[in-house]
Amino acid sequence: MSVQERLTDALYGAGWATVRKLPEPVAVRLGRSIADLAWKRRGKGVLRLEANYARVVPGASPEQLAELSRAGMRSYLRYWMESFRLPAWSRERIAGGVDIKDIHRLTDGMAAGKGVVLALPHLANWDLAGAWATAGLGIPFTTVAERLKPETLYDRFVAYREGLGMEVLPHNGGSAFGTLARRLRDGGLVCLVADRDLSASGVEVDFFGETARMPAGPALLAQQTGALLLPATLWYDDSPVMRGQVHPPVAIPESGTRAEKTSVMTQALADAFAAGIAEHPEDWHMLQSLWLEDLDPAREATA
């Protein structure tokens, strides 16, 4: 393990060990202070966030984008402060910390017994939403996690999410898709963050007027198992409660090849994600390149 990897692991470990013990108002102020400091430094992540926001809010002035990125960094650090503290929250605190519109679409889908795939973008706090599903709704679910370096950091995230009641599978494991499909055939819930995919298997979609790539997994799982595919979006307001909405189900097209059906369904997810992001852009924590134009190595080399 490199020095950088050991430092990264130690910082996350300190966060979970220390921040969770802070009084909530102190944690909120700490998160805001860290966010403002990072924003003022104008590092690569902040600049990328602003560039992404420029597509979400076309016509925004540089000053407006700067203010939006400041709000975005505060939202991002709220996510981290909440995530560090979640293991210490009571079931009652978690259950009362989320309010989701049209949740009946999820609960009715689960009651039908065919399984549900819930697909979300990187909005607000998806970990809190997952903890709420288990603590507030009593619905266990399965998800996947990207393998991080160092391995000890990945283990921390898995332990953290499993402690919140989630079953976590490694993203690059060959058996992950099969396990997810089995959970759905058994009538279970699968939750996937699905607004960014850099792999060769990603599906190209129109996203805010330009081409991006999103994972095929949610659409393929729905086709293979007959599970209901539901997009969901999340956002923060000025209260301690996170808000959200479950959008109408994405239908499986009646005709076309598997690839054609997957393309249509993934585009429908992208459209639902775009609607939620456009309403609450400051809560979209996308500090990485997403659109294909930004992923062009030649363009990156001259940027």
mmCIF file with all atom_site columns, all heavy atoms in Angstrom, residues 16 19 47 50 80 114 181 216 239 263 301:
data_model
loop_
_atom_site.group_PDB
_atom_site.id
_atom_site.type_symbol
_atom_site.label_atom_id
_atom_site.label_alt_id
_atom_site.label_comp_id
_atom_site.label_asym_id
_atom_site.label_entity_id
_atom_site.label_seq_id
_atom_site.pdbx_PDB_ins_code
_atom_site.Cartn_x
_atom_site.Cartn_y
_atom_site.Cartn_z
_atom_site.occupancy
_atom_site.B_iso_or_equiv
_atom_site.pdbx_formal_charge
_atom_site.auth_seq_id
_atom_site.auth_comp_id
_atom_site.auth_asym_id
_atom_site.auth_atom_id
_atom_site.pdbx_PDB_model_num
ATOM 1  N N   . TRP A 1 16  ? -15.092 8.447   10.169  1.00 0.00 ? 16  TRP A N   1
ATOM 2  C CA  . TRP A 1 16  ? -16.094 7.572   10.784  1.00 0.00 ? 16  TRP A CA  1
ATOM 3  C C   . TRP A 1 16  ? -15.915 7.496   12.303  1.00 0.00 ? 16  TRP A C   1
ATOM 4  O O   . TRP A 1 16  ? -16.889 7.375   13.036  1.00 0.00 ? 16  TRP A O   1
ATOM 5  C CB  . TRP A 1 16  ? -16.047 6.179   10.169  1.00 0.00 ? 16  TRP A CB  1
ATOM 6  C CG  . TRP A 1 16  ? -16.956 6.037   8.992   1.00 0.00 ? 16  TRP A CG  1
ATOM 7  C CD1 . TRP A 1 16  ? -18.310 6.193   8.972   1.00 0.00 ? 16  TRP A CD1 1
ATOM 8  C CD2 . TRP A 1 16  ? -16.594 5.721   7.647   1.00 0.00 ? 16  TRP A CD2 1
ATOM 9  N NE1 . TRP A 1 16  ? -18.808 5.998   7.703   1.00 0.00 ? 16  TRP A NE1 1
ATOM 10 C CE2 . TRP A 1 16  ? -17.784 5.699   6.868   1.00 0.00 ? 16  TRP A CE2 1
ATOM 11 C CE3 . TRP A 1 16  ? -15.375 5.447   7.016   1.00 0.00 ? 16  TRP A CE3 1
ATOM 12 C CZ2 . TRP A 1 16  ? -17.794 5.422   5.513   1.00 0.00 ? 16  TRP A CZ2 1
ATOM 13 C CZ3 . TRP A 1 16  ? -15.395 5.170   5.661   1.00 0.00 ? 16  TRP A CZ3 1
ATOM 14 C CH2 . TRP A 1 16  ? -16.586 5.153   4.914   1.00 0.00 ? 16  TRP A CH2 1
ATOM 15 N N   . VAL A 1 19  ? -16.212 12.092  13.451  1.00 0.00 ? 19  VAL A N   1
ATOM 16 C CA  . VAL A 1 19  ? -17.364 12.908  13.085  1.00 0.00 ? 19  VAL A CA  1
ATOM 17 C C   . VAL A 1 19  ? -18.654 12.324  13.657  1.00 0.00 ? 19  VAL A C   1
ATOM 18 O O   . VAL A 1 19  ? -19.559 13.067  14.067  1.00 0.00 ? 19  VAL A O   1
ATOM 19 C CB  . VAL A 1 19  ? -17.460 13.054  11.558  1.00 0.00 ? 19  VAL A CB  1
ATOM 20 C CG1 . VAL A 1 19  ? -18.737 13.789  11.148  1.00 0.00 ? 19  VAL A CG1 1
ATOM 21 C CG2 . VAL A 1 19  ? -16.242 13.793  11.023  1.00 0.00 ? 19  VAL A CG2 1
ATOM 22 N N   . LEU A 1 47  ? -13.746 22.661  -10.368 1.00 0.00 ? 47  LEU A N   1
ATOM 23 C CA  . LEU A 1 47  ? -13.829 23.123  -11.752 1.00 0.00 ? 47  LEU A CA  1
ATOM 24 C C   . LEU A 1 47  ? -14.635 22.158  -12.610 1.00 0.00 ? 47  LEU A C   1
ATOM 25 O O   . LEU A 1 47  ? -15.414 22.577  -13.478 1.00 0.00 ? 47  LEU A O   1
ATOM 26 C CB  . LEU A 1 47  ? -12.425 23.299  -12.332 1.00 0.00 ? 47  LEU A CB  1
ATOM 27 C CG  . LEU A 1 47  ? -11.571 24.383  -11.670 1.00 0.00 ? 47  LEU A CG  1
ATOM 28 C CD1 . LEU A 1 47  ? -10.178 24.411  -12.294 1.00 0.00 ? 47  LEU A CD1 1
ATOM 29 C CD2 . LEU A 1 47  ? -12.242 25.756  -11.775 1.00 0.00 ? 47  LEU A CD2 1
ATOM 30 N N   . GLU A 1 50  ? -18.336 22.661  -11.834 1.00 0.00 ? 50  GLU A N   1
ATOM 31 C CA  . GLU A 1 50  ? -18.863 23.834  -12.529 1.00 0.00 ? 50  GLU A CA  1
ATOM 32 C C   . GLU A 1 50  ? -19.081 23.554  -14.009 1.00 0.00 ? 50  GLU A C   1
ATOM 33 O O   . GLU A 1 50  ? -20.085 23.980  -14.595 1.00 0.00 ? 50  GLU A O   1
ATOM 34 C CB  . GLU A 1 50  ? -17.922 25.021  -12.358 1.00 0.00 ? 50  GLU A CB  1
ATOM 35 C CG  . GLU A 1 50  ? -18.033 25.685  -11.005 1.00 0.00 ? 50  GLU A CG  1
ATOM 36 C CD  . GLU A 1 50  ? -17.184 26.948  -10.896 1.00 0.00 ? 50  GLU A CD  1
ATOM 37 O OE1 . GLU A 1 50  ? -16.753 27.475  -11.954 1.00 0.00 ? 50  GLU A OE1 1
ATOM 38 O OE2 . GLU A 1 50  ? -16.954 27.394  -9.757  1.00 0.00 ? 50  GLU A OE2 1
ATOM 39 N N   . TRP A 1 80  ? -21.225 13.721  3.105   1.00 0.00 ? 80  TRP A N   1
ATOM 40 C CA  . TRP A 1 80  ? -20.167 13.043  3.852   1.00 0.00 ? 80  TRP A CA  1
ATOM 41 C C   . TRP A 1 80  ? -20.377 13.132  5.356   1.00 0.00 ? 80  TRP A C   1
ATOM 42 O O   . TRP A 1 80  ? -20.174 12.156  6.078   1.00 0.00 ? 80  TRP A O   1
ATOM 43 C CB  . TRP A 1 80  ? -18.796 13.608  3.456   1.00 0.00 ? 80  TRP A CB  1
ATOM 44 C CG  . TRP A 1 80  ? -18.289 13.009  2.188   1.00 0.00 ? 80  TRP A CG  1
ATOM 45 C CD1 . TRP A 1 80  ? -18.118 13.623  0.987   1.00 0.00 ? 80  TRP A CD1 1
ATOM 46 C CD2 . TRP A 1 80  ? -17.921 11.645  1.985   1.00 0.00 ? 80  TRP A CD2 1
ATOM 47 N NE1 . TRP A 1 80  ? -17.669 12.735  0.053   1.00 0.00 ? 80  TRP A NE1 1
ATOM 48 C CE2 . TRP A 1 80  ? -17.537 11.511  0.632   1.00 0.00 ? 80  TRP A CE2 1
ATOM 49 C CE3 . TRP A 1 80  ? -17.896 10.527  2.807   1.00 0.00 ? 80  TRP A CE3 1
ATOM 50 C CZ2 . TRP A 1 80  ? -17.116 10.309  0.087   1.00 0.00 ? 80  TRP A CZ2 1
ATOM 51 C CZ3 . TRP A 1 80  ? -17.465 9.320   2.271   1.00 0.00 ? 80  TRP A CZ3 1
ATOM 52 C CH2 . TRP A 1 80  ? -17.089 9.222   0.933   1.00 0.00 ? 80  TRP A CH2 1
ATOM 53 N N   . LYS A 1 114 ? -42.595 -9.364  -7.799  1.00 0.00 ? 114 LYS A N   1
ATOM 54 C CA  . LYS A 1 114 ? -41.745 -9.618  -8.964  1.00 0.00 ? 114 LYS A CA  1
ATOM 55 C C   . LYS A 1 114 ? -40.371 -8.960  -8.865  1.00 0.00 ? 114 LYS A C   1
ATOM 56 O O   . LYS A 1 114 ? -39.567 -9.065  -9.780  1.00 0.00 ? 114 LYS A O   1
ATOM 57 C CB  . LYS A 1 114 ? -42.450 -9.141  -10.241 1.00 0.00 ? 114 LYS A CB  1
ATOM 58 C CG  . LYS A 1 114 ? -43.692 -9.947  -10.588 1.00 0.00 ? 114 LYS A CG  1
ATOM 59 C CD  . LYS A 1 114 ? -44.268 -9.496  -11.921 1.00 0.00 ? 114 LYS A CD  1
ATOM 60 C CE  . LYS A 1 114 ? -45.485 -10.333 -12.305 1.00 0.00 ? 114 LYS A CE  1
ATOM 61 N NZ  . LYS A 1 114 ? -46.040 -9.903  -13.615 1.00 0.00 ? 114 LYS A NZ  1
ATOM 62 N N   . ALA A 1 181 ? -29.831 -10.725 -10.182 1.00 0.00 ? 181 ALA A N   1
ATOM 63 C CA  . ALA A 1 181 ? -30.983 -11.322 -10.857 1.00 0.00 ? 181 ALA A CA  1
ATOM 64 C C   . ALA A 1 181 ? -31.697 -12.320 -9.942  1.00 0.00 ? 181 ALA A C   1
ATOM 65 O O   . ALA A 1 181 ? -32.933 -12.366 -9.907  1.00 0.00 ? 181 ALA A O   1
ATOM 66 C CB  . ALA A 1 181 ? -30.534 -12.011 -12.150 1.00 0.00 ? 181 ALA A CB  1
ATOM 67 N N   . ALA A 1 216 ? -25.852 -0.225  -18.406 1.00 0.00 ? 216 ALA A N   1
ATOM 68 C CA  . ALA A 1 216 ? -26.949 -1.018  -18.972 1.00 0.00 ? 216 ALA A CA  1
ATOM 69 C C   . ALA A 1 216 ? -27.616 -1.897  -17.918 1.00 0.00 ? 216 ALA A C   1
ATOM 70 O O   . ALA A 1 216 ? -28.727 -2.396  -18.143 1.00 0.00 ? 216 ALA A O   1
ATOM 71 C CB  . ALA A 1 216 ? -26.412 -1.900  -20.107 1.00 0.00 ? 216 ALA A CB  1
ATOM 72 N N   . SER A 1 239 ? -34.272 22.020  5.596   1.00 0.00 ? 239 SER A N   1
ATOM 73 C CA  . SER A 1 239 ? -34.558 21.270  6.814   1.00 0.00 ? 239 SER A CA  1
ATOM 74 C C   . SER A 1 239 ? -33.552 20.125  6.973   1.00 0.00 ? 239 SER A C   1
ATOM 75 O O   . SER A 1 239 ? -32.799 19.812  6.044   1.00 0.00 ? 239 SER A O   1
ATOM 76 C CB  . SER A 1 239 ? -35.975 20.693  6.748   1.00 0.00 ? 239 SER A CB  1
ATOM 77 O OG  . SER A 1 239 ? -36.016 19.562  5.893   1.00 0.00 ? 239 SER A OG  1
ATOM 78 N N   . SER A 1 263 ? -31.351 0.308   -24.820 1.00 0.00 ? 263 SER A N   1
ATOM 79 C CA  . SER A 1 263 ? -31.100 1.702   -25.179 1.00 0.00 ? 263 SER A CA  1
ATOM 80 C C   . SER A 1 263 ? -32.306 2.575   -24.838 1.00 0.00 ? 263 SER A C   1
ATOM 81 O O   . SER A 1 263 ? -32.164 3.655   -24.241 1.00 0.00 ? 263 SER A O   1
ATOM 82 C CB  . SER A 1 263 ? -30.770 1.810   -26.669 1.00 0.00 ? 263 SER A CB  1
ATOM 83 O OG  . SER A 1 263 ? -30.575 3.156   -27.042 1.00 0.00 ? 263 SER A OG  1
ATOM 84 N N   . ALA A 1 301 ? -6.102  16.449  -23.367 1.00 0.00 ? 301 ALA A N   1
ATOM 85 C CA  . ALA A 1 301 ? -4.676  16.780  -23.442 1.00 0.00 ? 301 ALA A CA  1
ATOM 86 C C   . ALA A 1 301 ? -4.451  18.251  -23.752 1.00 0.00 ? 301 ALA A C   1
ATOM 87 O O   . ALA A 1 301 ? -3.441  18.831  -23.392 1.00 0.00 ? 301 ALA A O   1
ATOM 88 C CB  . ALA A 1 301 ? -4.018  15.914  -24.515 1.00 0.00 ? 301 ALA A CB  1
#
